[in-house]
Amino acid sequence: QVQMVESGGGLVQAGDSLKLTCAASGSTFSRYAMGWFRQAPGTEREFVAGISWGNGMRRNYHDSVKGRFTISRDNVNNTVTLQMNNLKPEDTAVYYCAAARIQFGLGFARDFGSWGQGTQVIVSS
C-alpha cells in the first residue's frame, strides 16, 4: 500500500496558478495509477485528473479543467503533481491525491484504494 501527503494548496485570486504536489511513500509507486479528486462543501467528491502507472503515458481530465490543469508524475521522487492554471472560483475545494493498483483509472473514486488527507484550495473572485 502507498501513503500520500498533499501540499501546495492555498488562497489565490481568479486567474492565478497553483501547483499541488503529492508525495508518496513505498517502493512500488510506479505500479500505481494516480489521480487527483476534489470535494467542495456540500458536494460529492469528483474526479479532476488521472495518470497511468509506469511512465504515465495516459492521462485524463474532467471536462471542467481540460486545458487549464496538467497532471504529471515523477517515479524517481515518488511524486505526482497537479499544475493548475487560470484558476476559477468554482475550483475551490479540498484536493485529494489517490492511488490505484491498476494501469489507468477511468475517474471512479471506487477504483482508488489509497487516499491522502487533502489540501485546501480557495480561489477568490
Side-chain angles (χ1 to χ4, degrees):
Q1 193 172 1
V2 62
Q3 289 79 42
M4 290 86 68
V5 177
E6 303 95 334
S7 62
L11 171 63
V12 297
Q13 294 185 333
D16 286 351
S17 298
L18 274 178
K19 184 177 182 179
L20 305 184
T21 298
C22 172
S25 64
S27 61
T28 59
F29 174 74
S30 63
R31 299 178 186 177
Y32 287 81
M34 301 298 295
W36 285 96
F37 289 75
R38 66 186 180 188
Q39 188 168 19
T43 68
E44 296 289 323
R45 189 170 297 190
E46 70 173 6
F47 170 76
V48 177
I51 190 166
S52 58
W53 73 6
N55 59 12
M57 287 295 292
R58 298 180 67 186
R59 307 177 190 189
N60 52 351
Y61 298 92
H62 190 277
D63 284 346
S64 65
V65 307
K66 284 181 180 177
R68 300 189 298 123
F69 291 11
T70 302
I71 188 171
S72 60
R73 68 186 298 156
D74 179 348
N75 292 334
V76 173
N77 295 303
N78 284 8
T79 58
V80 60
T81 60
L82 185 68
Q83 177 66 45
M84 306 186 296
N85 299 327
N86 190 23
L87 282 160
K88 303 176 180 180
E90 51 264 41
D91 294 319
T92 295
V94 177
Y95 283 71
Y96 298 89
C97 178
R101 195 65 186 266
I102 55 177
Q103 289 188 352
F104 184 58
L106 297 178
F108 300 111
R110 63 175 180 265
D111 292 334
F112 292 80
S114 299
W115 295 81
Q117 293 299 307
T119 185
Q120 177 75 59
V121 172
I122 300 173
V123 184
S124 64
S125 57

